[in-house]
Amino acid sequence: MESTSPPHLNLRHLLFSLSMIAILRHSAAASPFPKEALPTKSGYLTVSSTTGSAIFYTFYEAQNSYNKASDSHTPIVIWLQGGPGCSSMLANFYELGPWLVKQDLSLRPNPGSWNTIFGLLFLDNPIGSGFSIAASTEEIPRNQHDVAKHLYIAIKNFIGLDSSFKTRPVYITGESYAGKYVPAIGYYILKKNPSLPVESRVNLAGVAIGNGLTDPQFQVATHAVNAYNLGLINEKQKALLEEIQSEAVDYVRWGNWSKATDARTRVLNTLTNMTGLATLYDFTRLIPYQDDLVGEFLNNVEAKRALGANESLVFELCSDVVGEVLSPDVMKSVRYMVEFLVKNTRVLLYQGQCDLRDGVVSNLAWMKKMEWDAIDEFLDAERKVWRVEGKLAGYVQKWKSLSHVVVMNAGHLVPTDQPLNSQVMIQDWVLERGLFAAAQETETKFNHFKGAI
């Protein structure tokens, strides 16, 4: 999720009270974790040994037996949630982790999990989010450079937990406001690597962003025309929305970041009021995503104990404090980081077709502005129909290192809406097969995975 998200944050205080009730209701319950649902590793990765600030993590090794931990070629996929300030436990237990929370707050296996053949690492980022610990508000990052510094320390510490991790390719993924986090840490790693011995480098192999907020100046200007073309607003409403969008863009140009963030919030609130939609995250939904279940589940003291989380922390799906600290960062662009990444590694940008916040039109607006010598070839590349098990799944457009995917019948939380298709997408992209295969078929370092599904 990203700023002012997830949908239930508009009722944040009410739901916080409900979470308190949930704590009382479940605190005396037995552990909600079946033994097989426990992460391979979980706990804290120190960011500052001086203050004790740390990033919380859960890691699930690949499920398939031949992708055992000793296999130095098994990819590790890192997931970062958005917000700013939302916990990656949202994705872990509601989107793409191996076990998902049910209505009765028990867990069920997720056949669409992203750790079927990959290791999967969830990080609560930045500090102060989820179960992560910020020693003080002042220590919470206020820009993407500082976000990346903390993430880099945490990732290095994680790799140091097991000698087999050092040679495994790393893919950094995330959604929504992680449209900034992912480029920031990818950029940081690739800038840092050349100065380090090979054995000390992070083996970054690619980055993937779902429904990202990456270049807000261009993205905020798309809401009116997108909603109008979908038949959700009329011309008068479109004109009003465009006025507010222009205010946001003007504030960006003037460098008035807080007012730019406020103007963008007005755009989204106005659009919500105009359309009467249950949520802008998926215009087809009659009710918002029910991700508050994750908050209830993780406020069970036994759940905290099983995960190795600080039991005294009250778990919040999204942190108001972190959101406020990073509020002036919301409208700042990291497009230059993506431009650097696409020249030096592989990049996947994907969006759910039904997302009205950071969806297809929003992302294409900034992608067209990219300074990359192959952008014209990418825009001219064939957009291919993508099918999974014979059924229409979406569309894929690829040129060299850049891939773009539109996922049909999905909103902001693509893995929740299309678990199987999102799983196939990430696996095919990582393994460079299917519609993501190179133009000329060649042997790749992941050939031993082919045919795994």
Side-chain angles (χ1 to χ4, degrees), residues 44-192:
Y44 287 92
L45 302 166
T46 301
V47 164
S48 172
S49 55
T50 303
T51 65
S53 292
I55 285 179
F56 179 77
Y57 80 98
T58 55
F59 174 69
Y60 301 85
E61 191 50 270
Q63 296 177 34
N64 284 19
S65 60
Y66 54 82
N67 285 351
K68 51 189 179 296
S70 60
D71 188 337
S72 62
H73 298 295
T74 302
I76 295 175
V77 173
I78 298 176
W79 179 269
L80 306 173
Q81 205 64 39
C86 293
S87 167
S88 287
M89 297 307 103
L90 187 160
N92 188 353
F93 294 107
Y94 192 73
E95 297 189 65
L96 55 101
W99 293 80
L100 303 180
V101 178
K102 299 194 298 183
Q103 289 284 344
D104 64 359
L105 302 187
S106 63
L107 293 176
R108 66 172 175 85
N110 176 17
S113 173
W114 285 18
N115 83 314
T116 304
I117 57 174
F118 306 144
L120 183 58
L121 172 64
F122 295 97
L123 299 176
D124 271 352
N125 163 78
I127 55 172
S129 304
F131 285 127
S132 288
I133 298 170
S136 66
T137 304
E138 288 68 32
E139 223 179 342
I140 297 171
R142 283 159 168 73
N143 56 67
Q144 293 306 312
H145 177 73
D146 290 343
V147 166
K149 282 172 62 178
H150 284 181
L151 278 173
Y152 183 78
I153 294 169
I155 291 169
K156 289 283 286 184
N157 284 339
F158 172 78
I159 291 172
L161 295 177
D162 192 313
S163 59
S164 72
F165 292 164
K166 294 181 180 179
T167 56
R168 295 170 67 171
V170 170
Y171 293 83
I172 301 177
T173 67
E175 70 189 5
S176 198
Y177 206 79
K180 294 190 175 195
Y181 300 153
V182 171
I185 181 57
Y187 182 88
Y188 192 94
I189 287 170
L190 291 184
K191 287 288 188 178
K192 189 93 171 174

Side-chain angles (χ1 to χ4, degrees), residues 188-254:
Y188 192 94
I189 287 170
L190 291 184
K191 287 288 188 178
K192 189 93 171 174
N193 274 348
S195 64
L196 300 173
V198 174
E199 63 274 12
S200 298
R201 297 174 184 175
V202 175
N203 189 16
L204 182 66
V207 301
I209 301 168
N211 297 83
L213 184 68
T214 300
D215 195 348
Q217 176 181 346
F218 292 100
Q219 293 182 254
V220 75
T222 65
H223 296 295
V225 68
N226 189 28
Y228 176 76
N229 288 339
L230 287 169
L232 296 172
I233 59 175
N234 63 21
E235 287 193 11
K236 182 178 179 180
Q237 292 170 317
K238 175 174 171 284
L240 174 59
L241 209 56
E242 286 173 337
E243 285 183 20
I244 311 174
Q245 290 174 179
S246 295
E247 289 179 14
V249 172
D250 286 341
Y251 284 130
V252 169
R253 290 171 178 161
W254 300 332

Side-chain angles (χ1 to χ4, degrees), residues 241-286:
L241 209 56
E242 286 173 337
E243 285 183 20
I244 311 174
Q245 290 174 179
S246 295
E247 289 179 14
V249 172
D250 286 341
Y251 284 130
V252 169
R253 290 171 178 161
W254 300 332
N256 194 330
W257 302 111
S258 293
K259 287 190 175 181
T261 298
D262 292 342
R264 176 177 178 268
T265 300
R266 285 198 300 275
V267 169
L268 297 173
N269 289 343
T270 301
L271 181 57
T272 299
N273 292 334
M274 284 177 172
T275 60
L277 293 169
T279 173
L280 297 182
Y281 289 110
D282 184 341
F283 67 81
T284 67
R285 280 183 167 263
L286 299 180

